[in-house]
Amino acid sequence: MFGISEIAIILIVVIVLLGAKRLPELARSAGKSARILKAEAKAMKEPKGAEGKAGAPCVIRGETVARHETGDPGRDTGQQ
């Protein structure tokens, strides 16, 4: 009978022979996954203050201005 090492070698050969077309695609997706995982791990290690300052939304306060009706049809008064 076959041992575990022989079965593993046979499976590897079958996978390489039958899946040769898909191996580059699998390697590419594994590389992308590794890069994403590395970037996420790096983002988690960064202090929250450094990320919060750059990514926080900025609130701009506005003024309320009253409209004066002049009766001049050339100016926009908000009424039609």
Side-chain angles (χ1 to χ4, degrees):
M1 293 292 288
F2 292 114
I4 294 176
S5 61
E6 288 88 3
I7 292 175
I9 292 172
I10 292 171
L11 285 175
I12 290 172
V13 170
V14 169
I15 289 172
V16 169
L17 290 177
L18 297 179
K21 292 181 181 179
R22 294 192 179 201
L23 284 177
E25 182 181 319
L26 291 173
R28 193 176 307 118
S29 65
K32 285 182 183 179
S33 299
R35 273 184 266 141
I36 290 171
L37 181 64
K38 185 178 177 181
E40 291 296 325
K42 183 179 177 182
M44 290 184 71
K45 289 181 181 178
E46 289 181 359
K48 292 184 180 183
E51 183 181 323
K53 290 181 181 178
C58 181
V59 178
I60 300 173
R61 305 251 181 222
E63 296 180 11
T64 304
V65 179
R67 288 189 170 198
H68 300 287
E69 299 214 16
T70 60
D72 183 13
R75 288 189 71 181
D76 183 22
T77 60
Q79 296 179 354
Q80 292 182 5

